[in-house]
Structures are given as structure tokens and as C-alpha cells.
Amino acid sequence: MRLGVIDVGSNTVHLLVVDAHPGAQPLPAMSHKRVLRLSEHVTADGFIDASGIADLTQFVGECVTIAEDAGISELMSFVTSAVREAPNGQAVLDHVREHTGQELRVLTGEEEARVTFLAARRWFGWSSGRLFGIDIGGGSLELATGIDETPDTAVSLPLGAGRLTRELAGDPPSAEDLRALRTRVRAEIAGVARDLTRWGTPDRTVGTSKTIRSLARLTGAAPSSDGPFAPRSLARAGLSDLVPRLAAMTATERAQLPGVSVERSAQVLAGAVVIEATMDLFDVNSLDVCPWALREGLILRRLDALA
């Protein structure tokens, strides 16, 4: 069967269409995405503004048409922190449904962590033992650990790369602002560390998300042109060397680096600060990059239900 998923993130709205059946590997059939930056359409009191709602509605409608033209059997769609946290989030969902016919489902932060963990487990397999999963999006950071397909503990923190970038004035930001951000990020992660470390030392740490793939590429990992099966990793030592280099660059200069798009060049620094802090506080020397994440996890969970 052909399944589609619309992922409404804080930065990007992404349609993924795959061919799959229960017990088989989902094979990508097509992908369609656009950088909408919903997080930048949030007003001072947290509401998503009219322009953001209009852009989201228009693109979801476009995704629905493309998915139907591709011959999907079922189309799932979901929203994460940008809409989840907005006081007018339900109004946004109602507007999209009224104008596109598509029901967007709200995922909790913990649910994001659990579904992403499932994707990582399926990708790396049972031989990986206890997994520790790290995922960072535009609005939140998800952490999970477990020996099964369902993690023993899954947490979500409001430490997304896009969200934190808005706290860094200046291009590049001042050393004082960057230090303040680093201190706050580490305090929030340390606050949940015990919830995850009490289960024991992981046998394998994995990282998902575009930000982590970009950081791995900047520290020497294989380019995306080598395909999803090329092994990629991110070393803490390399990341620690990278952070001050990124901090000294403007967003325009970062966009010239390999693996960094213009759309994400501003927020790659904040993402690097968060991932470095996570690896440091959990004593992770190296993590393996997983090409599957939330979208694939939702598809796998739906296939399991069909089975």
C-alpha cells in the first residue's frame, strides 16, 4: 500500500509518501516540503498569526492534492510544538480542516520522543542493545532510552534550535548571550538527566533530525549524496571544536558550509549548543546518525496496527 504523512514542524512542513506493507521496509516514493517557519509567525503572546495560518492552510492543501495524485491509500498528518503550544492551536487546526478537509493530529512531546525512538530501533535493530535517542527539531528536544521498541523513559524539552535562535540577538551573537543560552540549556537538560540515566548506560546512542545530520556533515560525515545506508556519526570532540567556529560566523557565512542550507544557517549554532550539551551531560563520546525519525516512526506504527 502507499501511505502518506504530512509533518507540520516548527520550521518545515514535509509530505512523505512511501510504499510499504506490514513486515516490510517502507520505501520512499516521493517527498514534498516547504520551509514555512511557523515559529516565526508566533506573536508576543504565543498566538500563531493570520499569515502563518494562511500559509499553513495553503501548503497542507497542496500536500493533500499531491498525495492524492500520487495514489495514496491513506494520508496521516500531525503537528508538533509550534501549533501544540499556541493558545489558538485548536483554531488553527479547525481552519486547516475547514479549508482542506485534512485533520491534523496534535502529538505531545513525549509521543514525539516515543515514535522517533521506534524508528531508530527498527533502523538499527535489536543487536544495538539499550538505545539512547536524541532528536532536535525547531521547537523541542526529545530524549528517550530503552531496550525494547517502546522506551523506558521519553522526555521532551522546549529546547528546539529555532526557538533558541530567537533568543540570540546579533549576527553573530555576542559571547554573553551565547554563554547565557549555554547555561540555561545545560540546566534544563540536567534537570531530566536522572530520569534517563537511572536505566543504565546505553549500548548505542543515536541522533535523528536534520540539525544532527548537518552537524555530522560539518565534522566529516558522508554527504547526503552517498545515500541513507552510508554510516554516519557525530563525535563530541569534533562538535566541541565546531561550536566556537559557528559562533564566530554570520548566518550567511554558515550557509556556505557543507550540509548547511540557507534556511537552517541561522539556527545551526543553537542546535549545536544543545547537542553538545546533551552529549556532554550524558557522557556520549559519539552518536550514530539515524536517517529515520518521526515521520518514519508514524508510518511504522500504522503498519503495526494494520498487521
Side-chain angles (χ1 to χ4, degrees):
M1 63 188 302
R2 179 161 282 190
L3 296 175
V5 177
I6 301 174
D7 169 8
V8 179
S10 298
N11 291 313
T12 306
V13 180
H14 191 157
L15 166 68
L16 174 66
V17 175
V18 301
D19 291 321
H21 62 265
Q25 174 188 343
L27 298 176
M30 64 155 296
S31 175
H32 181 61
K33 61 184 177 181
R34 183 177 298 167
V35 178
L36 290 187
R37 297 192 187 282
L38 273 183
S39 59
E40 295 183 4
H41 287 276
V42 176
T43 63
D45 51 3
F47 287 74
I48 296 177
D49 64 26
S51 175
I53 296 173
D55 288 350
L56 174 61
T57 302
Q58 185 277 326
F59 191 64
V60 169
E62 182 178 313
C63 288
V64 170
T65 299
I66 291 173
E68 290 174 348
D69 289 346
I72 60 161
S73 302
E74 183 177 341
L75 179 62
M76 302 175 286
S77 55
F78 62 94
V79 298
T80 52
S81 62
V83 177
R84 181 174 68 225
E85 297 172 5
N88 64 334
Q90 187 57 54
V92 174
L93 301 179
D94 292 342
H95 188 274
V96 172
R97 183 181 63 251
E98 178 183 350
H99 289 83
T100 70
Q102 189 64 26
E103 187 85 36
L104 300 178
R105 179 188 167 202
V106 179
L107 291 181
T108 66
E110 180 181 334
E111 201 171 5
E112 282 189 64
R114 290 182 175 277
V115 174
T116 303
F117 184 88
L118 169 63
R121 170 60 76 189
R122 292 283 177 89
W123 182 269
F124 286 110
W126 295 111
S127 63
S128 295
R130 173 168 291 280
L131 281 184
F132 177 41
I134 304 170
D135 179 82
I136 183 171
S140 59
L141 169 72
E142 277 73 48
L143 305 171
T145 185
I147 58 172
D148 298 319
E149 293 193 335
T150 300
D152 298 314
T153 296
V155 299
S156 179
L157 296 171
L159 299 176
R163 183 197 300 268
L164 298 183
T165 297
R166 295 193 295 276
E167 299 181 16
L168 293 174
D171 184 24
S174 69
E176 293 77 12
D177 284 350
L178 191 60
R179 180 177 179 181
L181 178 67
R182 180 180 183 274
T183 300
R184 186 171 73 77
V185 164
R186 288 179 175 247
E188 290 207 36
I189 296 173
V192 300
R194 175 60 181 163
D195 295 336
L196 294 136
T197 58
R198 67 190 179 91
W199 297 99
T201 303
D203 299 298
R204 186 174 210 157
T205 298
V206 301
T208 58
S209 78
K210 174 61 175 175
T211 294
I212 290 178
R213 293 197 298 272
S214 295
L215 295 174
R217 179 73 182 97
L218 289 171
T219 54
S224 58
S225 59
D226 283 7
F229 298 107
R232 297 176 175 88
S233 62
L234 174 61
R236 179 169 40 157
L239 182 57
S240 295
D241 290 339
L242 176 65
V243 171
R245 288 173 46 212
L246 294 175
M249 295 179 178
T250 64
T252 300
E253 290 170 336
R254 293 184 209 123
Q256 307 305 312
L257 298 173
V260 179
S261 64
V262 173
E263 294 81 10
R264 293 180 182 270
S265 60
Q267 65 187 47
V268 69
L269 171 60
V273 169
V274 173
I275 300 305
E276 181 194 23
T278 305
M279 297 180 74
D280 195 16
L281 290 168
F282 288 96
D283 196 25
V284 174
N285 290 322
S286 179
L287 61 78
D288 296 315
V289 179
C290 179
W292 280 2
L294 184 58
R295 287 181 293 276
E296 290 80 7
L298 286 163
I299 289 169
L300 291 167
R301 191 163 70 172
R302 179 59 181 148
L303 291 172
D304 289 348
L306 292 173

